[in-house]
Amino acid sequence: MLYTAAMADYVGEVVLSSTTRLTAQCPDDDATPALGSFVTVDYGPGRAVAVVAEVRSGSLDPGRRPVAFGLSEEELFRQQPQLRELLSTEFEAILVGWSEGDGPARQLLPPRPPRLHRFVSPAEPDDVRTVTEGGDWLRTLLAAEASDDLLAAAVRASLATRPDDHTARLHAGRALARLVGDDYERLQVLLRRVAQ
Amino acid sequence: MIETRQRLGLVTGGSLLDGLEMKLDPGVSTEALRAGQYVVVEGQDHIFYTMITDVRLQSASPSIPIRPPADGDDLLRQVLAGEWTYVTLHLRPLLQLPLVGETDVDSAQVKTVPAHFAAAQRASEDDVSRVFGQQSARDRFHVGAPLDMDTPVCLNLSRFVERSNGIFGKTGTGKTFLTRLVLAGLCHKLPGEVVTLTFDMHNEYGGSARQEGSDRHVPGLKQLFGEQVAVMTLDEESSRRRGAPIDEVVQLAYDDIEPGDIIAMRGELGLSEAGCDTLSLLEGHFGDRWLWQLLHGDPEELVERIGGHLGAVLAARRKLARLAGKDFKRFLHPKLEGSARRAVDTLVKRLAERKQHVVLEFGQVTSLLSYLLVANVVTRKLYAEWVRRAEEFHASLRPQDKPPHLVICVEEAHKFLNPEAARQTSFGQIARELRKYFVSLLIVDQRPSGIDDEILSQLGTRITAQLNDDRDIAAVLAGTTGSAGLRVVLAGLDSKQQALIFGHAVPMPVVLKTRTYNDELFGEIGRIKADVEGTMSAGPDPWG
């Protein structure tokens, strides 16, 4: 095993990737990353940082749609244990940062897409801080058509890594203001969600 | 500059015509700014002195003022502050000085504007003293300091006396105090070169006077300057009662008065045009006995002699009967003998030959009419004397023939210089003809809108305390460039100890907190407190 450290707390395995997005399958439902949270994927060497943009669960086989059984979750899996193997949860993440070696991650896109089957784990707070310094990362999210809810969730996640909540919130608010330009309504909505 | 200035923001636009627009840095509070404050803008080669004339709250989106942040939404407020909601200042450029090298502030008119994004900073004390300093210069007199600063602001007295000047302000704003300060400056800095005559309607300049709103007494010019100042009075009894240090009593006789003196106050007397003609006819026939004849002669006989209309003569006599009233009896007599006869000549002599400053007290002669009459008569005589002396000097060009520059200080000036009177009195002539004859006016008034526009526009330096009436403010600012900005500054003055000075005697307009009468002032004048105290009449301790 090459990536034991990453495996220890991994939240997904890359099943689809590009230089702007990746899709990862979660090992189990309990390890699903939160919307807007930061994850990292190892390139060995280098690592990319991404923001979880969507999480979805469904059938592994696109041709077979799950049907309702009318049982509690516990009872269902007792009666139909094979279901665990047929269902999966996966998430999509937008790439926002890159580090070529061991140094801090920066607001850059990786030069290549993450390799398939690499493990995705929660990002280190230091990486989140360096990637979200200033407001440029928000522009990357916006270019990837992130919704306002995602923007707010990502900003909240970035703030959680910083000690001085108020100043950081102000800086993030200003970055959002610059981002949405003249759309004052939208700014108000975003700030309300950030403040929640 | 040694002292560091506080940065306020940067220039974002503007023009030479309309002034500069600057954006205030986020974090600088608008409440720390004030209209009238100096801001210096550092260009590449020049430093521009400007004055804040407007502070504007701006927003980058029209939606922001429509849906402002809710109460308690501090995050939104703070996020908006500085970029989406911001403050701009309107600056009026006043002076342009080279960044390095010697500067002549008197010829530093603004000829261009600094480039985009030039840094704008609050003017430091060094900046202000670079413009207003030179307190030690012979003809500079310290009159106060800019608000929030201790740097002395000096009036250039040589330039000041070159033209007629005005001191304005509504009642109780310190006009008298300012006037006394300016007169003290003239007495102190330019002895022998400049003499002043003050028509002291309320007995406030010669002897000590009570400071408004307190029991403190401030020393008058006589106490400060001793022999340099002569106090003359129209009402000896009142002056003696007050213990005023009088030098001489001035009395007028009927033959001192010319019809012109009366015609100039025809509005106050309610004299018709026919009445004015009658006076001229009377003078034509009776010479300097015309007034006596009008008041005491037989009207029918007068009509026969001068050929006028009986009704007009009777009307004129009725109107002028006020000159024989109680107030006038204190100083106006049908006939005077001996030295009393020559009192006005003595006054002229004191000014012209002994080069003394004269304060003419009115004592209990309180009516406006008497004030107008005396001021008209005395000024007419002085004016004639100065014209004669000036002409002699122009002919001989000998320095010893040059008359001292006479500054006539007159209160309630709109009574002498309203559009009608200004054409008829010597005051109007003096105000218009300027320095040709070495006479200028110091106009003190609370109602500048009543003064003839032409005269207002000729004023060199204007010192104005608070004014409320829009017409008065417009009148004070008439003929000055960028008056809209100064109007804001003027409206923002406090009612005490603050004045805006602009014009010929200062390099740029300045809002002052006026200098106080204190030891430092007496020290500068060379009189020590004990000396001044000794000459003051008994009263409450003026020094607190």
Side-chain angles (χ1 to χ4, degrees), chain B residues 13 23 27 46 54 133 180 184 285 299 334-335 340 357 359 400 403 508:
Chain B
K23 181 169 179 282
H46 289 92
D54 200 5
R180 203 187 291 125
H285 274 83
K335 206 165 178 185
H357 298 269
V359 175
Q400 64 268 34
M508 60 184 184

Side-chain angles (χ1 to χ4, degrees), chain A residues 166 170 174 177-178 184-185, chain B residues 67 76 78-79 83-84:
Chain A
H166 179 73
L170 193 58
R174 291 202 173 130
R178 262 171 245 138
Y184 176 61
E185 288 290 319
Chain B
R67 281 182 295 280
L76 182 58
Q78 289 169 11
V79 165
E83 280 180 48
W84 302 91

Side-chain angles (χ1 to χ4, degrees), chain B residues 154-170:
Chain B
C154 298
L155 268 190
N156 182 334
L157 293 176
S158 302
R159 289 177 75 108
F160 186 78
V161 297
E162 274 175 10
R163 304 196 185 179
S164 290
N165 304 293
I167 295 181
F168 305 110
K170 63 175 191 173

Side-chain angles (χ1 to χ4, degrees), chain B residues 123-420:
Chain B
S124 67
E125 305 243 345
D126 287 344
D127 292 323
V128 175
S129 74
R130 189 178 176 197
V131 174
F132 290 109
Q134 302 157 318
Q135 193 183 350
S136 53
R138 187 187 65 90
D139 55 358
R140 306 293 162 104
F141 185 64
H142 168 194
V143 285
L147 303 182
D148 315 327
M149 289 194 188
D150 297 319
T151 310
V153 167
C154 298
L155 268 190
N156 182 334
L157 293 176
S158 302
R159 289 177 75 108
F160 186 78
V161 297
E162 274 175 10
R163 304 196 185 179
S164 290
N165 304 293
I167 295 181
F168 305 110
K170 63 175 191 173
T171 315
T173 51
K175 284 191 301 293
T176 306
F177 182 85
L178 281 165
T179 310
R180 203 187 291 125
L181 191 64
V182 168
L183 290 173
L186 290 172
C187 293
H188 171 53
K189 287 286 188 171
L190 302 172
E193 282 175 59
V194 173
V195 289
T196 61
L197 167 64
T198 308
F199 290 108
D200 186 2
M201 196 175 181
H202 306 294
N203 315 312
E204 295 163 315
Y205 296 100
S208 64
R210 196 175 66 83
Q211 216 169 19
E212 204 166 315
S214 79
D215 282 336
R216 277 172 64 101
H217 276 60
V218 290
L221 296 173
K222 180 75 180 174
Q223 280 122 7
L224 290 173
F225 296 98
E227 277 305 298
Q228 247 182 291
V229 174
V231 177
M232 304 179 85
T233 183
L234 287 174
D235 182 357
E236 186 178 7
E237 206 180 308
S238 155
S239 296
R240 296 241 180 265
R241 240 186 347 254
R242 281 180 291 108
I246 52 171
D247 294 279
E248 204 147 348
V249 179
V250 176
Q251 301 283 283
L252 295 182
Y254 282 1
D255 58 8
D256 283 319
I257 297 170
E258 288 185 1
D261 303 326
I262 304 290
I263 293 169
M265 35 190 229
R266 56 176 281 206
E268 299 294 326
L269 282 168
L271 202 62
S272 67
E273 204 145 313
C276 296
D277 293 343
T278 307
L279 304 190
S280 304
L281 285 171
L282 281 167
E283 196 205 18
H285 274 83
F286 299 107
D288 54 17
R289 282 180 56 77
W290 70 274
L291 183 57
W292 193 92
Q293 286 290 350
L294 175 64
L295 296 179
H296 303 288
D298 174 24
E300 283 177 15
E301 202 177 304
L302 288 178
V303 172
E304 231 168 79
R305 296 274 296 273
I306 65 174
H309 188 267
L310 181 62
V313 171
L314 286 174
R317 182 177 180 144
R318 208 165 48 242
K319 303 285 183 195
L320 266 60
R322 286 170 70 183
L323 301 187
K326 188 176 156 217
D327 209 37
F328 287 86
K329 277 210 173 106
R330 293 176 199 268
F331 69 92
L332 181 62
H333 309 280
K335 206 165 178 185
L336 284 171
E337 302 290 345
S339 63
R341 173 87 196 77
R342 294 187 296 272
V344 177
D345 297 334
T346 317
L347 185 150
V348 175
K349 203 170 280 176
R350 278 181 187 271
L351 286 164
E353 281 160 24
R354 292 168 70 175
K355 299 189 175 166
Q356 278 182 315
H357 298 269
V358 173
V359 175
L360 182 56
E361 283 196 348
F362 279 65
Q364 286 305 308
V365 179
T366 50
S367 77
L368 186 64
L369 211 54
S370 0
Y371 185 67
L372 293 177
L373 181 70
V374 172
N376 279 335
V377 170
V378 171
T379 306
R380 174 173 49 77
K381 293 195 174 206
L382 277 174
Y383 183 67
E385 179 69 16
W386 248 260
V387 167
R388 188 182 64 76
R389 284 170 182 262
E391 281 171 350
E392 277 173 13
F393 166 66
H394 287 310
S396 73
L397 292 177
R398 286 184 312 194
Q400 64 268 34
D401 286 346
K402 186 179 173 186
H405 196 108
L406 172 64
V407 175
I408 301 176
C409 171
V410 57
E411 293 182 304
E412 301 286 350
H414 64 274
K415 300 285 181 192
F416 304 95
L417 295 169
N418 58 50
E420 195 185 346

